[in-house]
């Protein structure tokens, strides 16, 4: 899961926080979520309004992030990221459960909303060769690089208030559909009891 913040100067290679910091964030989900929002460029006032936080709440959580050396707590309750570059969280690391929950929630929301010109849910399964599968994986990596390049260009040339966060979650793998769906055997109709009249 890679997050690209809004600042104009964005480094190309996302950095890893390491196991120690990821483990601390996994044990402190409010701090992890605040860090995600700050990395995404969400303003402090909006965070407080959307999350129902008081200035004291924000200060306390900010101090926990400061101890992790992820933010600086400034006067008037302001928080500044120590490093404003993109962050990449390990899928198999301490934050596995939190990242899974966020991505599944995102997929559920997109699946439930109507299709539009700039958002939609796409799914497809086909029987193909391994060569075609490898080619598609290469194309998907190319698509994510293209998105990163275009995002950096937008952040350099477009006013911040005209930018909005978009998320793309891709999954590509062989699948045995019989492991995802189950055909239940039809229930047997109840046996009819025939009453016999005594002659």
């Amino acid at each position: 899961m890679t997050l690209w913040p809004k600042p104009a100067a964005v480094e190309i290679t996302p950095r890893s926080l390491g196991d120690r910091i990821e483990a601390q964030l996994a044990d402190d989900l409010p701090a992890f979520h605040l860090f995600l929002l700050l990395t995404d460029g969400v303003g402090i006032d909006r965070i407080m309004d959307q999350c129902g936080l008081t200035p004291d709440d924000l200060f306390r959580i900010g101090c926990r992030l400061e101890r992790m050396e992820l933010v600086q707590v400034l006067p008037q309750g302001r928080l500044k990221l120590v490093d404003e570059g993109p962050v990449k969280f390990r899928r198999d690391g301490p934050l596995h459960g939190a990242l899974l929950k966020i991505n599944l929630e995102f997929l559920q929301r997109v699946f439930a909303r109507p299709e539009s010109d700039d958002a939609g849910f796409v799914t497809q399964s086909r029987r193909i060769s391994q060569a075609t599968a490898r080619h598609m994986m290469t194309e998907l990596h190319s698509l994510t690089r293209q998105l990163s390049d275009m995002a950096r260009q937008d952040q350099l040339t477009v006013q911040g208030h005209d930018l909005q966060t978009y998320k793309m979650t891709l999954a590509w793998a062989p699948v045995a559909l019989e492991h995802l769906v189950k055909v239940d055997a039809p229930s047997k109709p109840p046996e009819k009891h025939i009453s016999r009249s005594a002659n």
Side-chain angles (χ1 to χ4, degrees):
M1 179 177 179
T2 302
L3 300 165
W4 292 95
K6 289 184 179 180
V10 182
E11 61 186 49
I12 295 176
T13 304
R15 78 187 192 282
S16 172
L17 299 179
D19 281 346
R20 181 179 64 85
I21 299 298
E22 286 198 5
Q24 291 179 27
L25 290 173
D27 289 336
D28 189 350
L29 289 182
F32 174 51
H33 294 161
L34 177 58
F35 180 65
L36 289 182
L37 294 173
L38 292 172
T39 306
D40 192 49
V42 182
I44 293 297
D45 290 339
R46 181 171 175 81
I47 292 174
M48 293 175 60
D49 180 60
Q50 292 294 315
C51 300
L53 299 176
T54 66
D56 286 343
D57 294 332
L58 194 70
F59 176 77
R60 284 193 291 269
I61 302 172
C63 285
R64 300 204 296 267
L65 287 173
E66 187 173 51
R67 287 194 291 272
M68 300 179 204
E69 300 181 344
L70 295 175
V71 305
Q72 290 178 317
V73 179
L74 304 176
Q76 287 82 48
R78 292 178 298 146
L79 300 176
K80 176 179 172 56
L81 290 167
V82 172
D83 189 328
E84 295 183 335
V87 178
K88 185 171 185 178
F89 301 105
R90 293 196 303 110
R91 187 160 45 99
D92 59 348
L95 288 165
H96 170 85
L99 297 175
L100 179 62
K101 182 178 180 181
I102 291 171
N103 280 281
L104 290 179
E105 172 71 17
F106 170 71
L107 288 175
Q108 289 175 348
R109 293 189 179 206
V110 176
F111 189 86
R113 64 182 289 175
E115 198 88 3
S116 66
D117 290 340
D118 64 347
F121 182 90
V122 179
T123 181
Q124 193 175 63
S125 59
R126 293 290 185 271
R127 294 178 64 82
I128 57 176
S129 67
Q130 284 193 336
T132 297
R134 288 192 293 269
H135 172 75
M136 287 302 302
M137 193 67 193
T138 299
E139 291 295 308
L140 292 176
H141 281 304
S142 177
L143 177 62
T144 60
R145 287 193 297 270
Q146 180 183 3
L147 174 58
S148 295
D149 291 342
M150 295 177 71
R152 288 194 296 274
Q153 182 65 25
D154 281 354
Q155 292 163 20
L156 288 168
T157 59
V158 179
Q159 293 294 323
H161 57 76
D162 290 326
L163 296 174
Q164 181 176 354
T165 299
Y166 278 74
K167 179 174 174 60
M168 180 172 64
T169 298
L170 295 170
W172 176 252
V175 62
L177 286 179
E178 64 271 20
H179 294 163
L180 298 180
V181 298
K182 181 180 179 182
V183 181
D184 292 322
S187 58
K188 294 181 179 180
E191 294 183 2
K192 294 182 179 179
H193 297 283
I194 302 175
S195 60
R196 295 182 179 178
S197 303
N199 291 331

